[in-house]
Amino acid sequence: MMNTKVQNAINDQIAQEFFASYLYLSMMIYFEGQSLGGFAHWMRMQAEEERAHALKLLEFLIERGGRVELQAIDKPAADFESPLAVMQSALAHEQKVTKRITDLYELVVAERDYPAQVMLQWFITEQVEEEASAGAIVDQLTLAGDSGSTLLMLDAKLGQRAGME
Ligand code: FEO
């Protein structure tokens, strides 16, 4: 029997991961509209990763005999000012997710749910990578400034991102 507080918090996090997937799809649509296919590809991969994060949590609840309750997903932002603004939003979003994962981890420690602690350690490690990869693109776009050719070089590079890294 799963601890109800832990179960509810994991259900909330499942919704957050699906929201992140939805947000990155919205960002993908923006980049497609700007003819930046590489950035769009990167966002499509990112959206798939977030869906995988949601499924990882969902399957954990099922395995533990917990109750999965899918929740409504908020409407993501759809208007963005520039590629840099999009990536800054993506980074800010990941920082928020890191905080949520940390809060969730603190809860499962307090509730002495050891399997959830082990499972969430994967997410803690993943967040380091998630923040680093979005942060690197923010830095590169900042360095690129108004240079269209540098933007296109970065677009070509991001277009090479492999699925489910
Ligand atoms: Fe599921 Fe980008 O964290």
Side-chain angles (χ1 to χ4, degrees):
M1 180 75 184
M2 270 208 80
N3 172 310
T4 310
K5 270 195 223 167
V6 171
Q7 178 178 286
N8 291 345
I10 292 178
N11 271 310
D12 287 347
Q13 190 56 33
I14 290 170
Q16 288 300 322
E17 300 289 348
F18 277 123
F19 172 75
S21 183
Y22 222 33
L23 176 64
Y24 292 136
L25 275 182
S26 183
M27 292 175 171
M28 180 272 280
I29 293 162
Y30 165 82
F31 282 124
E32 288 289 5
Q34 300 291 311
S35 298
L36 289 168
F39 280 89
H41 169 77
W42 192 92
M43 282 297 174
R44 195 178 283 112
M45 295 293 107
Q46 193 64 24
E48 277 180 25
E49 265 199 19
E50 298 302 348
R51 187 171 173 278
H53 294 171
L55 290 178
K56 199 176 179 79
L57 292 164
L58 189 153
E59 278 154 15
F60 176 78
L61 277 188
I62 291 173
E63 268 179 9
R64 299 280 307 283
R67 178 153 181 246
V68 178
E69 250 178 298
L70 293 178
Q71 298 168 19
I73 302 179
D74 290 341
K75 183 175 175 178
D79 297 318
F80 303 100
E81 267 177 31
S82 64
L84 177 59
V86 176
M87 293 311 305
Q88 283 169 332
S89 294
L91 175 59
H93 185 74
E94 287 304 330
Q95 288 164 341
K96 250 190 253 172
V97 173
T98 300
K99 168 82 173 70
R100 283 179 176 276
I101 295 288
T102 307
D103 290 348
L104 186 51
Y105 192 79
E106 282 175 6
L107 173 72
V108 302
V109 168
E111 297 295 324
R112 302 168 67 96
D113 185 332
Y114 297 105
Q117 288 174 36
V118 173
M119 184 273 295
L120 285 174
Q121 279 162 12
W122 181 89
F123 279 86
I124 290 169
T125 306
E126 176 72 1
Q127 280 313 117
V128 174
E129 188 197 308
E130 294 275 87
E131 285 193 35
S133 55
I137 302 171
V138 167
D139 290 347
Q140 287 160 7
L141 280 171
T142 304
L143 281 173
D146 293 332
S147 164
S149 56
T150 311
L151 179 66
L152 290 178
M153 271 169 54
L154 188 52
D155 187 62
K157 192 179 115 191
L158 295 181
Q160 291 167 8
R161 176 178 176 175
M164 302 301 288
E165 286 164 7

